[in-house]
Amino acid sequence: MEATLRPHDLGSTQWYVLWQLANNGPTVQRDFLNMLQVEKPTLSEVVSALVRKGFIEQTPAADDQRQRLLTITPTGLKLWQGLPDPIAYQMAWSIWYFFSFYQH
């Protein structure tokens, strides 16, 4: 997965944040703690990197100004739409390897 995402300057955790936002819309940052099973400092680094790259936006949540709402930006959506699916890629590679290995 990492090798598939490396050319796009993304890690797997960044990919998942983009996946969530592209497929499910704006999400409160704290919700990612449970989804990703990461600590707050790790999530803060991931979010900061995506904000810095211009792929997501971080704004105060309407119902609780202390919470941060994450939204994919047009730049992030364009990137997302052009990304290969690393899970499908890994599965295809594994199938190819399996059949290549057992045919010899």
Side-chain angles (χ1 to χ4, degrees):
M1 184 169 192
E2 296 292 334
T4 305
L5 297 172
R6 192 172 300 119
H8 303 280
D9 193 28
L10 291 175
S12 57
T13 307
Q14 292 176 353
W15 179 87
Y16 184 79
V17 170
L18 290 174
W19 180 91
Q20 171 68 22
L21 299 176
N23 290 287
N24 298 308
T27 305
V28 177
Q29 184 169 330
R30 74 165 179 261
D31 292 349
F32 282 102
L33 294 171
N34 287 330
M35 286 182 222
L36 300 171
Q37 294 295 301
V38 296
E39 299 293 327
K40 282 183 183 183
T42 301
L43 180 59
S44 291
E45 287 177 28
V46 168
V47 168
S48 293
L50 290 170
V51 168
R52 189 173 52 254
K53 294 173 186 179
F55 299 148
I56 68 170
E57 190 172 69
Q58 185 183 47
T59 57
D63 60 335
D64 185 348
Q65 297 290 305
R66 297 170 297 168
Q67 299 300 322
R68 298 290 173 240
L69 186 67
L70 304 182
T71 308
I72 196 165
T73 63
T75 301
L77 191 56
K78 183 178 178 183
L79 170 76
W80 177 255
Q81 292 168 340
L83 282 177
D85 182 341
I87 296 170
Y89 177 82
Q90 182 62 38
M91 288 179 65
W93 188 89
S94 296
I95 291 168
W96 174 84
Y97 181 79
F98 174 81
F99 284 110
S100 296
F101 182 76
Y102 285 103
Q103 286 181 358
H104 294 111

